[in-house]
Amino acid sequence: MRLRALLDTDALGLRLLGGEDELDRTVRGVMTTDLRDPSRYLAGGELVLTGLAWRHDASDTEPFVRILASAGVAALAAGEAELGDIPDDIVQACARHRLPLFAVNESVAFATITEHVVRQVSGERAGDLAAVVDRHRRLMTSGPAGGGPDVVLDLLGTDLDLRAWVLSPAGRVIAGSAAAGTALPGPLCARLAGEHLAAVRTGRRGPHRVTVDSVTYSLFPIRTSGRGTAGASRDVRESVLSDWVLAVEADAGDWPEERLDLLQGVTQLIAVERDRRDASRTVRRRLAQEVLELVQTGAAPAEIAARLRVAAPVLLPGLGAAPHWQVVVARVEWEGGEIDGGPVAQSLLEEILVDPLSAGPEPSDRIAVAHTGDEAIALVPLPAVSGEHDGAETGLIADALLASVHDPLAAGLDGDGRLTLGVSASVHSAEGLRGALEEARHARRVAAARPGRVCAAGHQELASHVLLLPFVPDDVRRAFTARLLDPLREYDSRHRAELIPTLEAFLDCDGSWTRCAARLHLHVNTLRYRVGRIEQLTGRDLSRLEDKLDFFLALRMS
């Protein structure tokens, strides 16, 4: 379709601000973004929709417009909902780069334009498949009440005889067509998700084809708009562990271009539903953030309890008694430390904490996750148990959380990433939340000391050391800490070598040479020399879990 046709469609609410001579350009797709640099998502010919969240001041405009023009996009359409009239610097930059510019009336949703373009473009290319795309559009515009991605997949089954599923990066079934019959087996879901993540990490373009037990599946990435991602980084690691994937039971290698275009259009429609789902999480994320800020700043228990009373009916509607609570802490870390792992860890926790046997997006609506820095923290409500169950194991179990998601996530982290997770015991009141948070953090440190890309530890594993420290006799404490730390203190006193601070930082960074060196503002070789001196003076090996734990305990007791 051509830009002129979009402008002539009154329902789209488009107003031309520049580029009258370019209205015969062909539109081959549509993309919604607020990234400063969306180039890795552009193939050329797109109508780019933006809410202008990337623009902090006029200096941001020229680089953004230059990137779009270089990628060969058809036009830029900027929404008026955030800033009102489109700033002059955007109009001028688009004129310099001969990029047609439209203003989108605040009363028109980007989803409406997206669905119109997908319908028109796919219809022109797919001929008699246009009716399928039109039905998709009508069902998706009706919102969640229209059935969401499940109905779109049903249409793929009934109209194109394609069995398809939408999977989370952890391998959970988000949606599946009725024609697909029963849900995919858990191990197969994990295999497909893992193959997809591995392919994305190696830079291969979709669809990715995988053959399992003589059945071929084609995997199509479902990319969201990028709203809320950190900065404008083009690093794939910022989204690889949060994007959904469309798995189709067919070999797309011999498909005609028209059918591939249609499936790409379907992924865009499902991405609209994904964006809606993420937007619905805003309230729960804010509740978690508020509670955790109160806990970490030492607020009075009464104030924390008041906030929990607000959160409880949102997370567990219809529950009569006040729930118990568990805290889960997760961290995603990449070698080099330049990627902010907090948002990725937040997205992962929102998937991991859902029962792997449950389908659809709704189960995650009961989970509140906040993030700060590289760390994500989940506040998980549990129905209160009666007194007869006291002492029984209830709530989340660390190993069970990762049992079904370990393999796909390990594939997505392979080479330079780690996910570590810690789970607290359940607490009955606001007074126990601070202790639960610290307990979950300690458990995550224990997990981080283990080998592997994906590791978890629970509160049960702390019972042998952290929780028992107050009960260790003073003379045993003194002897234990003196044996490990006195040689380092004496050396520091004579040489000002700062071995004790180095040891603390090294353990706090979970043994990561790069992050520890950056924290201490040292060259990695200098850090290695200091750690080597610690090992020489104490006769211990900081690559061994047992010795790391001994040093950790000694520092805690000193």
Side-chain angles (χ1 to χ4, degrees):
M1 68 179 303
R2 302 194 182 276
L3 289 175
R4 192 180 306 280
L6 290 175
L7 191 62
D8 292 340
T9 305
D10 294 338
L12 299 183
L14 296 176
R15 180 164 52 88
L16 185 65
L17 300 182
E20 295 87 347
D21 297 335
E22 306 291 336
L23 291 180
D24 287 326
R25 288 189 182 187
T26 299
V27 179
R28 292 194 290 271
V30 63
M31 176 192 178
T32 300
T33 187
D34 275 315
L35 291 172
R36 293 182 185 176
D37 183 357
S39 57
R40 68 187 174 104
Y41 297 114
L42 298 172
E46 296 91 350
L47 172 67
V48 174
L49 305 172
T50 180
L52 301 179
W54 51 266
R55 182 187 179 276
H56 300 298
D57 55 48
S59 65
D60 295 329
T61 298
E62 175 64 25
F64 181 81
V65 173
R66 184 172 61 249
I67 287 168
L68 298 189
S70 299
V73 306
L76 173 65
E80 296 179 320
E82 187 70 23
L83 301 178
D85 291 339
I86 307 305
D88 289 340
D89 53 272
I90 296 179
V91 177
Q92 294 166 6
C94 288
R96 284 194 299 272
H97 291 277
R98 299 183 63 82
L99 181 65
L101 174 65
F102 297 98
V104 182
N105 189 280
E106 63 181 354
S107 64
V108 178
F110 282 178
T112 300
I113 300 174
T114 297
E115 292 150 1
H116 178 84
V117 173
V118 169
R119 176 171 60 87
Q120 294 295 327
V121 171
S122 297
E124 291 172 3
R125 292 181 179 177
D128 60 345
L129 296 179
V132 177
V133 180
D134 182 63
R135 291 171 66 187
H136 290 172
R137 179 193 62 80
R138 287 186 282 107
L139 286 161
M140 292 300 289
T141 52
S142 64
D150 288 288
V151 178
V152 177
L153 300 187
D154 286 344
L155 290 173
L156 285 180
T158 57
D159 289 53
L160 301 180
D161 196 27
L162 291 176
R163 289 157 49 92
W165 301 263
V166 177
L167 305 178
S168 79
R172 188 172 66 86
V173 176
I174 302 296
S177 63
T182 59
L184 290 177
L188 178 56
C189 291
R191 170 78 181 275
L192 295 178
E195 293 282 356
H196 167 69
L197 292 175
V200 173
R201 287 300 312 278
T202 57
R204 301 191 340 242
R205 299 195 63 168
H208 313 120
R209 287 176 289 161
V210 181
T211 300
V212 182
D213 296 332
S214 301
V215 179
T216 300
Y217 298 87
S218 297
L219 309 177
F220 294 80
I222 298 173
R223 308 213 183 271
T224 58
S225 66
R227 295 173 187 265
T229 55
S233 172
R234 297 167 58 186
D235 199 311
V236 69
R237 293 175 294 180
E238 287 190 317
S239 61
V240 64
L241 295 177
S242 57
D243 285 343
W244 289 351
V245 58
L246 174 65
V248 180
E249 188 181 297
D251 186 347
D254 56 0
W255 281 5
E257 192 69 25
E258 292 81 2
R259 178 161 288 203
L260 286 173
D261 287 342
L262 179 64
L263 265 292
Q264 295 293 352
V266 169
T267 65
Q268 291 186 37
L269 291 173
I270 297 174
V272 172
E273 184 69 16
R274 172 67 189 272
D275 285 340
R276 287 173 179 163
R277 175 202 185 198
D278 285 345
S280 72
R281 288 177 166 175
T282 301
V283 172
R284 294 183 297 283
R285 287 173 171 175
R286 187 170 64 245
L287 283 172
Q289 194 72 48
E290 290 173 354
V291 171
L292 291 168
E293 285 177 1
L294 291 174
V295 170
Q296 295 184 103
T297 56
E303 188 176 359
I304 300 174
R307 179 50 54 185
L308 289 178
R309 284 194 293 272
V310 174
V314 175
L315 301 177
L316 280 178
L319 187 68
H324 295 173
W325 301 92
Q326 262 182 299
V327 175
V328 182
V329 172
R331 181 172 286 189
V332 172
E333 296 166 299
W334 304 98
E335 288 296 329
E338 72 277 8
I339 304 297
D340 183 5
V344 177
Q346 181 183 46
S347 178
L348 275 181
L349 268 188
E350 288 170 335
E351 291 295 343
I352 290 172
L353 293 175
V354 177
D355 184 343
L357 298 180
S358 65
E362 285 70 25
S364 59
D365 291 351
R366 306 289 179 87
I367 297 159
V369 185
H371 77 83
T372 172
D374 288 335
E375 185 179 67
I377 304 169
L379 193 63
V380 182
L382 304 170
V385 295
S386 62
E388 64 186 64
H389 297 294
D390 288 348
E393 188 62 53
T394 60
L396 304 173
I397 308 298
D399 290 340
L401 284 177
L402 295 184
S404 63
V405 303
H406 178 280
D407 291 345
L409 295 185
L413 293 160
D414 187 41
D416 60 352
R418 290 198 79 201
L419 166 67
T420 52
L421 182 147
V423 181
S424 78
S426 63
V427 295
H428 305 169
S429 63
E431 289 85 347
L433 272 184
R434 185 172 292 108
L437 176 57
E438 289 305 312
E439 191 174 60
R441 283 175 167 159
H442 285 312
R444 193 206 63 79
R445 289 177 185 273
V446 171
R450 297 169 174 165
R453 293 289 170 192
V454 180
C455 299
H459 61 92
Q460 304 92 337
E461 299 173 68
L462 303 181
S464 63
H465 45 274
V466 174
L467 296 184
L468 295 181
L469 288 183
F471 305 101
V472 177
D474 289 343
D475 57 338
V476 176
R477 284 169 173 260
R478 285 191 294 268
F480 182 76
T481 58
R483 186 167 62 253
L484 278 179
L485 301 183
D486 278 0
L488 307 182
R489 291 176 177 139
E490 291 169 8
Y491 192 89
D492 282 348
S493 178
R494 292 197 308 270
H495 302 283
R496 298 183 179 179
E498 298 188 331
L499 296 185
I500 292 290
T502 299
L503 175 62
E504 292 174 332
F506 187 75
L507 294 176
D508 191 55
C509 291
D510 303 325
S512 168
W513 297 99
T514 305
R515 289 198 300 114
C516 184
R519 176 179 295 190
L520 296 175
H521 305 291
L522 298 175
H523 191 278
V524 172
N525 288 341
T526 303
L527 175 61
R528 292 185 184 276
Y529 172 82
R530 288 189 183 181
V531 170
R533 178 65 66 185
I534 292 170
E535 293 174 334
Q536 181 184 33
L537 291 170
T538 60
R540 299 301 187 104
D541 181 357
L542 276 167
S543 66
R544 297 178 67 245
L545 172 60
E546 295 88 339
D547 289 343
K548 285 181 180 177
L549 287 176
D550 281 349
F551 278 121
F552 172 74
L553 293 173
L555 290 168
R556 283 294 303 255
M557 291 191 294
S558 63

